[in-house]
Amino acid sequence: MTTTTTAIILAAGKGTRMRSALPKVLQPLAGKPILQHIVDAVEQANIDQKIIVCGHEAELVKHTINAEHLQWVFQAEQLGTGHAVDCAMPSVTGDKVLVLVGDALLITADTLSRLIAQCPEQGMSLLTAIAPDPTGLGRIIRRQDGSVCSIIEHKDASETELCINEINTGIMCLSHDVLEEYLPKLRSDNAQGELYLTDVIGLCAEDEVVINAVTADFNETMGVNDKLQLAKAERIYQQLQVERLMQQGCTVIDPSRVDVRGTVDIGMDVLIDVNVVLEGQVSLGNGVIIEPNCVLKNCQIADNVHIKAFSHLEEATVGVSAIIGPYARLRPGAKLEKDVRVGNFVEIKKSQIDEGAKINHLSYVGDAEVGKNANIGAGTITCNYDGVNKFKTQIGEGAFIGSNSSLIAPVTIGENAVTGAGSAIAKDVPDSALGIARAKQRNIESWKK
Ligand code: UD1
Ligand code: MG
């Protein structure tokens, strides 16, 4: 017979210590809600049933978190972690029940699997850690033979108990029968007047139910209760992300000054300079260089692309050996082919820029197609919007757009066509023609000031 496992994630609390209108479990870490990190780890651990106990801002929490086959249980009043688990019990189908606090977000699927494996058929396993500073956490009380005897919450602990630095991570796995038997026995005669799930351990120990303690690294199990702990957890998380990049051969100039808020696929010999933020799904080809202070969100960057300092790229695709920036902005739908150059103060939105085209200075290119090797002069604007609708600009292969041209869309500039500097081009320019639309210069002789 195969045993099945149910995970219950406790996420009904307000998180008062965060001092925020946003519920604690939705506070972002690396751009992703705390609770979503936990749900993702549970998902990876191949658990049969996933239940989240919600309460405070339940609708918002439900709408924000996504995962397949999640079950939600509502805890109207937050009467303690034991009560929260009790609320979920009628929905539980698994033989083993993995309980997770909704704020220990760095937990990995590996550790969860290890804990589940250590849970006996009629007993429990408890994840503990050695905390450098155990303030606020439940302490693990052991007997002389080393077996776990109970958990004492910080607020209920005596002076000597407070000296214990082995703590309850809030993550445990219990056989369904044990949980069912001991939950009704919880009492709220403690400092917080709550039904503590942690009291199940003491009751089990009294009855000699097997309790297997499994230890984990404190950093992986820390719960975040306030903004200080959130910032600490963020640093730990970022350190892990950047280590992963370096293990894949990426040169990171300063590992403490790169942030990953999503997933990064990375080639060989990539160089990332300081203060770079990678968000969403980012892929970086071989030999990509990212200079300081760049943000890349949901971008695909091909081999040997060079992104110069202070560039901002979002939902953009950049072809092989292109050079971007400094101070460039690629907005959603910017698609740059091989060897394209985009220089300073250039904004590109929803446009296809073909191989070898250059847009080097101070331009706005939106809803456009720019042909191969076209050269867009400084200060060119595609006037794509009339206040109501958006229109397209087409620029042919080899075209040369003179500086400070306004291309009033819809408009087509032919292949190898030229526009005169300072033109407002409202009509199509045929292939190889010069389009010029500006007032003629008049010189007035002997002009005196
Ligand atoms: C809890 C543990 C403590 C452990 C610590 C680890 C208890 C009594 N204490 O304390 O031993 O060291 O986690 O981080 O279990 N929640 C509900 N409903 C409730 C109460 C809480 O869903 O009625 C949820 C909260 O949303 C939170 C989680 O349970 O996600 C833990 O609650 P929290 O207040 O953070 O407990 P700690 O004081 O950190
Ligand atoms: Mg907590």
Side-chain angles (χ1 to χ4, degrees), residues 22 53 77 81 125 141 158 173 187 190 195 205 224 228 246 249 255 291 303 315 339 356 415 419 443:
L22 192 67
V53 181
E77 256 188 296
T81 49
S125 54
I141 313 294
S158 66
C173 188
R187 297 288 168 263
N190 51 53
L195 295 173
V224 294
L228 270 81
M246 293 187 292
E291 290 189 8
D303 293 350
E315 281 161 50
D339 292 327
E415 286 183 14
T419 68
N443 288 340

Side-chain angles (χ1 to χ4, degrees), residues 10 12-13 17 24 75 78-81 102-103 138 153 168-169 225:
L10 310 183
R17 290 165 279 183
K24 172 166 78 173
Q75 184 195 21
Q78 282 76 62
L79 304 176
T81 49
D103 61 2
E153 289 305 303
N168 170 32
T169 63
N225 298 309

Side-chain angles (χ1 to χ4, degrees), residues 10-15 17 24-25 53 75 77-84 100-104 136-139 151-153 167-170 192 194-198 221-225:
L10 310 183
K14 181 168 186 274
R17 290 165 279 183
K24 172 166 78 173
V25 293
V53 181
Q75 184 195 21
E77 256 188 296
Q78 282 76 62
L79 304 176
T81 49
H83 178 254
L100 300 104
V101 283
D103 61 2
L137 297 165
R139 309 296 207 279
I151 296 175
I152 302 290
E153 289 305 303
I167 57 94
N168 170 32
T169 63
Q192 300 182 79
E194 290 184 356
L195 295 173
Y196 293 163
L197 175 66
T198 46
T221 62
M222 70 178 282
V224 294
N225 298 309

Side-chain angles (χ1 to χ4, degrees), residues 235-294:
R235 275 302 103 214
I236 294 167
Y237 180 87
Q238 290 303 342
Q239 181 69 25
L240 292 170
Q241 302 310 304
V242 85
E243 276 170 16
R244 206 165 294 160
L245 295 181
M246 293 187 292
Q247 274 153 5
Q248 290 177 76
C250 180
T251 301
V252 176
I253 300 296
D254 181 352
S256 67
R257 284 189 286 167
V258 170
D259 280 42
V260 177
R261 300 176 190 156
T263 48
V264 182
D265 280 337
I266 194 163
M268 288 199 305
D269 299 311
V270 170
L271 185 144
I272 301 180
D273 212 323
V274 300
N275 297 333
V276 168
V277 179
L278 305 172
E279 288 184 53
Q281 302 272 347
V282 174
S283 76
L284 304 173
N286 296 326
V288 167
I289 297 172
I290 308 178
E291 290 189 8
N293 302 303
C294 290

Side-chain angles (χ1 to χ4, degrees), residues 76-212:
E77 256 188 296
Q78 282 76 62
L79 304 176
T81 49
H83 178 254
V85 172
D86 200 37
C87 291
M89 283 310 277
S91 313
V92 171
T93 60
D95 308 312
K96 288 182 181 181
V97 185
L98 173 71
V99 180
L100 300 104
V101 283
D103 61 2
L105 77 166
L106 298 173
I107 194 70
T108 61
D110 278 356
T111 302
L112 294 179
S113 301
R114 198 153 62 88
L115 187 69
I116 296 165
Q118 287 297 313
C119 174
E121 220 169 273
Q122 291 297 322
M124 63 176 300
S125 54
L126 179 68
L127 194 67
T128 77
I130 303 297
D133 173 12
T135 308
L137 297 165
R139 309 296 207 279
I140 306 291
I141 313 294
R142 290 188 187 249
R143 298 195 189 93
Q144 282 208 313
D145 65 359
S147 60
V148 173
C149 149
S150 64
I151 296 175
I152 302 290
E153 289 305 303
H154 183 100
K155 287 186 179 156
D156 302 292
S158 66
E159 287 290 320
T160 32
E161 286 162 344
L162 288 176
C163 297
I164 299 170
N165 60 0
E166 185 183 12
I167 57 94
N168 170 32
T169 63
I171 303 171
M172 58 188 83
C173 188
L174 307 96
S175 67
H176 184 273
D177 300 345
V178 166
L179 199 52
E180 201 159 52
E181 184 179 341
Y182 288 93
L183 277 178
K185 297 184 178 169
L186 296 180
R187 297 288 168 263
S188 57
D189 52 351
N190 51 53
Q192 300 182 79
E194 290 184 356
L195 295 173
Y196 293 163
L197 175 66
T198 46
D199 285 349
V200 164
I201 285 81
L203 295 169
C204 284
E206 266 174 40
D207 291 353
E208 315 233 315
V209 173
V210 181
I211 304 170
N212 291 329

